[in-house]
Amino acid sequence: NDLTLAVVDEAAESLSSKIDHDFTVVSTAKENQKNYLENIALLFEEMLRKYADELVNSQKYLELIYSSGFDNKNVILYFQTKESEFQNIYRKASSLNIPRNWVQNHERLLGLVKNLEISNMAIAKGSDDPIKAAAAFNLLLGDVSDSILTITGSYISEIKSEKLDNPFFNSLKR
């Protein structure tokens, strides 16, 4: 059905985020870049751990939703907690000083974290809009993984281009 596809497309589109440039841009001095990488690596790692937890638990929560719907209190609490975790990562990442040459990578990362936050909120409110919640699950279980790989590759390339070193991002090359 064209109507069904249109509704699903609209739900998926409502999950994408717009990033406010709410961070401070600083010079490309090597020290600024090193400080940025140290700080963003911690947040990137935290994001990956929180997202991995979602992947590990996705089957459990999909089964709960299938058996008792989106208004299951355990489903709501879990995804509200995830929303809050990603919101916190977003807030911390937005407070960093971003070297000018890292702005594009940083905006992509912020967009990803914001999408994780929004998707978890949509699932937590799934009883209000189950189509949007289903689209959010599709995003979490599919597109996010691709985005993580792309963003990770961009960070690794920029680190190499700038002749910098970061143990966390180096570990992701393997």
Side-chain angles (χ1 to χ4, degrees):
N1 282 319
D2 288 340
L3 179 59
T4 304
L5 290 175
V7 170
V8 171
D9 285 346
E10 184 179 319
E13 193 173 301
S14 71
L15 295 170
S16 64
S17 63
K18 305 289 184 268
I19 301 301
D20 295 327
H21 301 286
D22 200 20
F23 50 80
T24 304
V25 177
V26 296
S27 78
T28 60
K30 289 291 184 201
E31 195 59 35
N32 287 342
Q33 293 185 66
K34 287 178 186 177
N35 288 337
Y36 171 71
L37 285 173
E38 286 175 20
N39 289 309
I40 204 63
L42 295 172
L43 296 175
F44 205 103
E45 182 178 10
E46 183 180 357
M47 178 202 64
L48 290 177
R49 278 189 279 110
K50 302 295 184 190
Y51 178 63
D53 176 70
E54 278 197 288
L55 292 178
V56 167
N57 287 296
S58 62
Q59 184 66 35
K60 171 185 168 183
Y61 286 99
L62 283 169
E63 288 172 7
L64 271 176
I65 292 165
Y66 181 74
S67 66
S68 59
F70 281 105
D71 55 354
N72 178 291
K73 66 179 180 175
N74 293 324
V75 169
I76 294 168
L77 180 60
Y78 179 79
F79 289 101
Q80 283 176 336
T81 300
K82 287 295 174 188
E83 174 193 0
S84 177
E85 290 171 350
F86 289 115
Q87 187 177 58
N88 191 40
I89 293 168
Y90 183 88
R91 184 185 49 72
K92 288 189 237 177
S94 294
S95 71
L96 297 177
N97 291 328
I98 318 305
R100 188 174 300 107
N101 55 326
W102 289 93
V103 168
Q104 188 174 18
N105 286 327
H106 193 74
E107 287 174 337
R108 286 185 191 138
L109 181 60
L110 284 177
L112 172 61
V113 175
K114 182 56 86 174
N115 284 340
L116 286 164
E117 176 190 333
I118 291 168
S119 294
N120 281 285
M121 178 180 61
I123 297 168
K125 294 179 177 181
S127 60
D128 296 338
D129 191 344
I131 294 172
K132 187 174 182 177
F137 254 117
N138 282 338
L139 181 73
L140 286 177
L141 299 177
D143 294 350
V144 167
S145 295
D146 294 338
S147 294
I148 288 172
L149 290 174
T150 300
I151 292 167
T152 301
S154 295
Y155 270 86
I156 291 169
S157 292
E158 187 69 22
I159 288 168
K160 183 178 178 182
S161 169
E162 292 295 328
K163 296 175 179 48
L164 296 167
D165 187 47
N166 182 277
F168 172 73
F169 285 104
N170 288 344
S171 73
L172 297 179
K173 285 192 243 184
R174 300 180 197 138

